[in-house]
Amino acid sequence: MSSNTYFWITSLFGFLLSTYVAYTYMSYARSVKEYENLDLPQNADVSSRWLDLSRNFDDEVELSEKLMFLRSKREKLCREARGNVLEVSAGTGRNMELYPLDPLVTPEDKRVERLVFNDLSEIMLDQAQKKFETLQEKAKQNRRFPGPVQFVVGDASDKSLIKRPEGGFDTIIQTMGICSETNPVAFLKQLGELCRQPGEKSSGVDMKIIEKESQQHLEDLKKRRDHGASEPEQKRQQEEDTLVTEHGGDLGGKILLLEHGRSYLGFINRVLDNGAKMHADHYGCWWNKDIEQVVKDSGLIVERKKRYHFGTTYEYVLRPRPRPRSEDEIERRSENVDGGKNAVLDVSQGVKVKGWTGGWFSKN
């Protein structure tokens, strides 16, 4: 290729790119200006946007999710689901085919025993149910999900809506849902209540598996060093570690979040703030929420977090905060240690058991 030809090709490409960027910016600026006078306060309830039967929500978000590689992030979280599983803000079921539901290939310690899907929109949840039924119909009989499945319409923050199974939910998943919550802190707190609590016996996961994980976690706590952490952060971490240790290292169930919100870059936040009304009015979600602050205010323990796309995509693994044991209870437990250094008293059952995990496993 001659230098002259190369010059004209690159010039044409540059012209087309600059034209596209300019057009996109002008369209964005015009739309923002049109929405300036819209009476829509920040964090207002915009859930009515999901009730439009004429819209195909999957088609509207498909391209953006592909460009952001969100499917792989959804799959990563869904692969952590096990035991009694609840998905809130399930929408149209975009996670449906990502769960490890095939009983022939899923290891015992990663099996899902029960599924509950919830969403505020009956229209969306109906689509999710159809997706699930289609997936099961396509699967061979011996590879279909054998456990119970429920689809619950309503607000998951309503304490009477979702029935908590015995031992709580082992896994709760929400992807792109906090942005639509009018009171996201209270919502997360309710998820924490629905989750299996530290030291609580699970009805969906073999307790021997949980005991093994608890022992490993105690070992990890002994080795952990908070290099570079601020003094308040170290104090908070020490308090959490103490509570977890009191419960034998059992962290309880998991709350898995994949959310979008504010960036750690100021100029991106300005773009999000300027277009927040426009986005909320069309998609029914506020894309400029401070997800990090919401999680912090919920009081849940952060086991793992990552941020992508200049900080606008959040991935969290949360755990319910252990309830402090009373001094009398701790003293009673220590007085009954007579079966070896790892023996503790199961206060709820009144019988001695072996293990680190507060008395749910391996009864003598």
Side-chain angles (χ1 to χ4, degrees):
M1 181 185 296
S2 67
S3 58
N4 194 41
T5 303
Y6 179 78
F7 170 77
W8 283 110
I9 290 176
T10 53
S11 297
L12 178 61
F13 176 77
F15 172 75
L16 293 175
L17 180 62
S18 61
T19 301
Y20 173 75
V21 171
Y23 172 78
T24 302
Y25 174 77
M26 287 188 292
S27 299
Y28 165 78
R30 183 171 60 252
S31 298
V32 168
K33 190 172 182 179
E34 290 175 357
Y35 276 88
E36 280 181 354
N37 298 322
L38 180 66
D39 184 18
L40 193 64
Q42 176 71 35
N43 295 327
D45 184 0
V46 287
S47 58
S48 61
R49 278 64 173 178
W50 310 331
L51 305 178
D52 188 349
L53 285 168
S54 66
R55 294 175 64 179
N56 188 315
F57 294 96
D58 282 341
D59 286 349
E60 290 185 26
V61 301
E62 186 68 26
L63 178 59
S64 62
E65 290 214 354
K66 281 184 176 179
L67 293 175
M68 298 171 75
F69 301 101
L70 286 183
R71 179 182 169 86
S72 62
K73 293 174 176 55
R74 287 176 178 270
E75 184 172 12
K76 178 183 176 183
L77 288 186
C78 290
R79 292 296 171 183
E80 293 191 42
R82 67 177 185 179
N84 294 319
V85 176
L86 165 66
E87 182 177 346
V88 291
S89 303
T92 60
R94 295 186 66 80
N95 298 329
M96 199 65 70
E97 59 185 298
L98 306 178
Y99 286 101
L101 302 182
D102 187 337
L104 294 186
V105 299
T106 307
E108 184 179 353
D109 62 338
K110 298 183 183 298
R111 286 181 184 170
V112 174
E113 299 296 330
R114 174 190 179 191
L115 279 167
V116 179
F117 295 100
N118 159 260
D119 199 271
L120 192 62
S121 169
E122 185 175 2
I123 294 172
M124 284 188 164
L125 201 60
D126 183 59
Q127 294 179 43
Q129 184 170 355
K130 289 177 180 177
K131 284 182 182 178
F132 181 84
E133 292 170 351
T134 300
L135 287 170
Q136 293 300 297
E137 288 172 2
K138 290 181 178 179
K140 294 182 179 179
Q141 186 67 38
N142 63 341
R143 309 196 76 163
R144 294 176 182 174
F145 178 61
V149 183
Q150 288 180 284
F151 293 84
V152 182
V153 177
D155 186 354
S157 60
D158 180 354
K159 296 183 179 181
S160 63
L161 180 70
I162 298 175
K163 184 179 179 181
R164 189 179 190 271
E166 182 181 355
F169 286 99
D170 301 288
T171 312
I172 298 178
I173 292 182
Q174 176 168 268
T175 55
M176 306 302 170
I178 286 181
C179 56
S180 301
E181 292 294 330
T182 54
N183 191 344
V185 174
F187 179 78
L188 280 185
K189 287 182 177 180
Q190 173 60 11
L191 296 189
E193 292 296 321
L194 290 171
C195 210
R196 184 180 72 83
Q197 302 300 302
E200 186 176 14
K201 186 175 182 179
S202 171
S203 62
V205 178
D206 189 333
M207 293 305 290
K208 292 180 180 178
I209 296 172
I210 294 176
E211 180 183 27
K212 183 178 179 180
E213 293 172 349
S214 301
Q215 292 174 345
Q216 182 60 54
H217 189 70
L218 283 176
E219 292 299 319
D220 293 341
L221 287 182
K222 294 177 184 178
K223 299 174 184 177
R224 180 158 63 191
R225 297 290 184 272
D226 297 317
H227 297 295
S230 63
E231 187 173 337
E233 182 68 18
Q234 288 184 14
K235 184 178 180 181
R236 180 195 62 78
Q237 189 65 64
Q238 289 171 359
E239 291 173 352
E240 291 180 355
D241 290 351
T242 299
L243 290 173
V244 171
T245 302
E246 286 181 8
H247 289 78
D250 181 11
L251 298 175
K254 287 183 178 182
I255 300 174
L256 309 175
L257 302 181
L258 183 65
E259 304 290 347
H260 65 137
R262 299 189 72 77
S263 170
Y264 44 67
L265 297 176
F267 79 93
I268 292 181
N269 286 333
R270 286 192 291 274
V271 172
L272 294 176
D273 290 339
N274 290 337
K277 282 186 180 182
M278 174 181 64
H279 188 85
D281 188 52
H282 183 73
Y283 289 104
C285 75
W286 293 95
W287 66 358
N288 62 337
K289 284 189 176 180
D290 190 341
I291 304 298
E292 192 168 42
Q293 189 62 49
V294 168
V295 170
K296 186 179 295 184
D297 292 343
S298 73
L300 298 170
I301 289 181
V302 178
E303 181 180 350
R304 186 178 80 231
K305 69 175 180 179
K306 289 184 179 179
R307 294 176 72 173
Y308 310 93
H309 310 126
F310 303 106
T312 60
T313 301
Y314 298 71
E315 179 185 290
Y316 275 99
V317 176
L318 306 176
R319 301 279 192 166
R321 180 171 292 275
R323 295 178 175 86
R325 293 185 183 273
S326 67
E327 292 183 6
D328 290 341
E329 183 180 345
I330 296 173
E331 186 176 345
R332 287 199 304 271
R333 290 174 65 200
S334 62
E335 288 175 352
N336 283 274
V337 176
D338 60 1
K341 67 176 183 178
N342 293 342
V344 296
L345 180 69
D346 181 350
V347 179
S348 63
Q349 300 293 331
V351 294
K352 187 174 63 179
V353 299
K354 291 183 178 179
W356 288 90
T357 47
W360 291 111
F361 325 111
S362 306
K363 291 184 180 180
N364 283 343

